[in-house]
Amino acid sequence: MKIAIFCQSITKEILHKDVGQLGEGFRDLGHDVYYITLLSNVDIADDNLIKINPNELKTESFWLKHKFDLVIFYSWLSYKFYDVLKNINKSGTKLIIKADTSGHIVPPLRPLYLRFPGYFENTKDFLYYILRTIQWSFFYKFFVKKKLEQIKFSEFTIIESPKALNNIAYLLYYWGLEDLISKIEFIPNPVCSEINNKNLLTINKENVVISVANFNQRAKNIIILGKALSVFLKIRKDFRAYLIGRGSEKIKKYIQKDVQNRVDFMISQEHKDLIKFYDKAKIFFLPSIWEGSPLTAAEALTRGCSIVGTPLEALDYFCNNGKSGTISSNFSLEAITAALILDAQKWDRNEYNPQNIASFWSEVFDRTNIAKLILSKLK
């Protein structure tokens, strides 16, 4: 089978994420996989990499020329890809859309970050808020319609968590597109085999909280992260923390000075080197204010960590009804801190078995298993 995976920006870092791991999962099954990107200065070596410009992407002729049996297209349900997806469908090519969303994309499910006044840092942000929330008569025609109706061009559209699936179903019904509910499927994202490797699994847990992210993103909620971690470390003097990723040094000013000696700030690590930190940590902490399906949290699960996070769709799924983590009751500092304290106590009471957590999620996030699942759902 000749399969193409489109993502507008493909880099070495992206190939460690679900984009690359889906492709490798299909290759594991013997399929011919091509990556398509809009980037001209791609820093990866792959003989099956196709670089195109936006105008070429929109043409039906491009898809007719390459004769792909299947295209997996990362549109994130963005309206700007509507015409591209229409032409893929028109070319007779089978199409699967990857949404990578929490489902909070159009009214009445407004983006969760709008709960946080601090989000608006400039006029542009405020104008974006207006465009995302006001239900004008033209809003549906030019924005909502193209975001949701694109699903009709696909064999099915992948939503990455059960609650996000429910959200999209609700939006489709709300906007009179209930016939498209049959075209949405829940399928989780795969985890890189460098991390999700049972042969390298060593359970050697210590009293460590870890967070791995690009902390420059406002979604990561670093003020609350730092403050909650400070309170937790003052209560649990037997714990320490590792904060790994770009912008981690920015969190230091929110960590109280009397616990900073138990917090390590690391700007970056080679992806394969994250294993030793995951294997040591008991708790993976991610108090985000919005997420699609956070890769690093999924990676941590395959290494036997529990998850402590905010009530977001993907994090709720990862916690598996409390079997592999704790979700805060709301987005407040108090609720998030309480979730951290509770999760540590669950480790104290031996309610978590890291081997069982790792074994369960390794199968769920296995790239070959997910590739098989996707192909099994094709008509």
Side-chain angles (χ1 to χ4, degrees):
M1 202 171 186
K2 187 178 180 182
I3 301 173
I5 298 177
F6 170 82
C7 182
Q8 62 182 11
S9 301
I10 293 181
T11 62
K12 286 181 180 178
E13 185 178 359
I14 289 291
L15 291 182
H16 288 304
K17 299 183 178 182
D18 54 293
V19 176
Q21 294 310 299
L22 275 180
E24 293 308 308
F26 290 124
R27 284 175 175 171
D28 291 343
L29 297 174
H31 298 287
D32 195 9
V33 176
Y34 291 77
Y35 295 108
I36 303 174
T37 181
L38 298 180
L39 285 185
S40 58
N41 57 339
V42 181
D43 59 349
I44 61 172
D46 193 302
D47 293 337
N48 288 0
L49 178 69
I50 301 173
K51 306 173 191 177
I52 60 174
N53 63 59
N55 291 330
E56 187 180 10
L57 182 70
K58 293 177 182 177
T59 63
E60 182 186 350
S61 60
F62 171 81
W63 305 103
L64 287 169
K65 178 179 72 175
H66 285 281
K67 298 180 180 179
F68 297 115
D69 298 304
L70 173 66
V71 173
I72 298 178
F73 197 102
Y74 279 76
S75 79
W76 304 284
L77 298 183
S78 169
Y79 67 92
K80 69 180 180 180
F81 290 119
Y82 182 90
D83 292 334
V84 178
L85 298 170
K86 181 179 179 180
N87 281 328
I88 295 174
N89 176 265
K90 191 176 177 183
S91 74
T93 306
K94 287 188 175 182
L95 169 67
I96 294 173
I97 293 173
K98 276 282 281 159
D100 196 18
T101 180
S102 66
H104 291 260
I105 56 173
V106 296
L109 293 182
R110 294 175 172 86
L112 287 176
Y113 58 76
L114 299 179
R115 300 177 182 182
F116 300 86
Y119 180 81
F120 305 114
E121 292 186 351
N122 53 50
T123 304
K124 182 181 177 182
D125 287 336
F126 185 72
L127 291 174
Y128 187 61
Y129 159 76
I130 295 295
L131 290 174
R132 292 294 294 265
T133 59
I134 294 180
Q135 298 181 50
W136 293 322
S137 59
F138 70 82
F139 189 82
Y140 174 72
K141 182 178 180 182
F142 292 105
F143 188 67
V144 175
K145 183 178 180 182
K146 286 191 174 183
K147 287 175 78 69
L148 295 178
E149 277 199 349
Q150 65 182 258
I151 292 172
K152 71 183 179 184
F153 300 128
S154 67
E155 299 296 311
F156 59 89
T157 293
I158 295 175
I159 313 297
E160 292 77 10
S161 69
K163 284 194 172 181
L165 185 77
N166 292 347
N167 289 344
I168 295 296
Y170 168 47
L171 292 176
L172 289 170
Y173 178 80
Y174 181 90
W175 287 103
L177 300 169
E178 60 273 7
D179 56 318
L180 296 182
I181 293 176
S182 63
K183 282 183 169 269
I184 56 175
E185 297 271 2
F186 158 58
I187 299 176
N189 282 334
V191 165
C192 179
S193 60
E194 278 186 333
I195 302 293
N196 189 11
N197 188 331
K198 298 171 189 175
N199 296 326
L200 297 178
L201 185 60
T202 57
I203 302 297
N204 185 29
K205 296 297 184 186
E206 299 178 13
N207 285 351
V208 170
V209 177
I210 187 174
S211 190
V212 182
N214 179 355
F215 298 108
N216 290 321
Q217 298 174 349
R218 280 180 282 174
K220 303 310 177 187
N221 204 12
I222 65 171
I223 297 176
I224 294 293
L225 189 157
K227 290 181 177 180
L229 191 58
S230 290
V231 175
F232 174 77
L233 291 175
K234 289 187 79 169
I235 294 171
R236 292 299 302 256
K237 294 180 171 56
D238 54 331
F239 268 80
R240 66 177 302 106
Y242 298 135
L243 305 179
I244 304 173
R246 291 190 292 273
S248 61
E249 71 284 355
K250 294 180 180 179
I251 306 173
K252 191 170 185 177
K253 63 182 177 182
Y254 305 114
I255 302 285
Q256 295 179 22
K257 290 184 179 180
D258 56 347
V259 298
Q260 284 184 7
N261 63 329
R262 287 187 282 130
V263 182
D264 292 314
F265 304 90
M266 289 169 265
I267 295 176
S268 63
Q269 292 286 322
E270 287 291 326
H271 192 253
K272 59 183 173 55
D273 293 335
L274 288 173
I275 287 179
K276 63 186 177 185
F277 297 102
Y278 288 139
D279 285 358
K280 184 181 289 189
K282 287 182 176 178
I283 299 170
F284 184 92
F285 184 38
L286 195 66
S288 298
I289 54 177
W290 79 89
E291 292 280 359
S293 183
L295 168 71
T296 52
E299 289 179 343
L301 286 169
T302 68
R303 310 307 300 182
C305 299
S306 64
I307 304 295
V308 173
T310 40
L312 299 178
E313 286 74 8
L315 295 179
D316 179 81
Y317 167 58
F318 291 167
C319 287
N320 194 21
N321 294 317
K323 295 176 184 176
S324 54
T326 305
I327 289 296
S328 62
S329 58
N330 57 55
F331 289 85
S332 70
L333 171 60
E334 294 79 9
I336 292 168
T337 305
L340 261 179
I341 295 168
L342 175 59
D343 203 71
Q345 289 176 355
K346 288 163 77 173
W347 280 100
D348 295 341
R349 296 192 292 257
N350 295 316
E351 293 181 23
Y352 290 134
N353 182 320
Q355 186 73 54
N356 290 347
I357 292 173
S359 296
F360 175 80
W361 289 106
S362 290
E363 288 298 316
V364 172
F365 297 138
D366 180 80
R367 71 189 189 189
T368 308
N369 290 344
I370 290 173
K372 287 178 181 177
L373 180 60
I374 291 172
L375 295 178
S376 73
K377 292 181 180 292
L378 280 176
K379 295 178 182 178

